[in-house]
Amino acid sequence: MLDLDHAPAPWLLGDAALASAYNTAYERVYPGALTELGIPATALTGRKAWEQWLYG
């Protein structure tokens, strides 16, 4: 069972374009917070970079 109440950022599991947009906005408000979760800064530069990091 997937419990999204305990996910650090539920949008990370959604569509890559939406995740990228949310990531960009989140980084503006909370700089460095996503990298503290282990997401490299290079993965936050756009949809393609997000997909490449997420799917390898």
Side-chain angles (χ1 to χ4, degrees):
M1 175 185 215
L2 181 61
D3 186 0
L4 293 180
D5 292 334
H6 295 95
W11 72 84
L12 297 173
L13 304 174
D15 174 71
L18 181 62
S20 180
Y22 271 89
N23 290 344
T24 299
Y26 199 83
E27 273 296 301
R28 259 187 252 128
V29 177
Y30 304 104
L34 294 173
T35 55
E36 287 181 20
L37 293 175
I39 301 170
T42 56
L44 304 174
T45 60
R47 183 183 61 82
K48 292 279 187 192
W50 178 253
E51 288 176 333
Q52 185 176 21
W53 173 75
L54 190 60
Y55 303 123

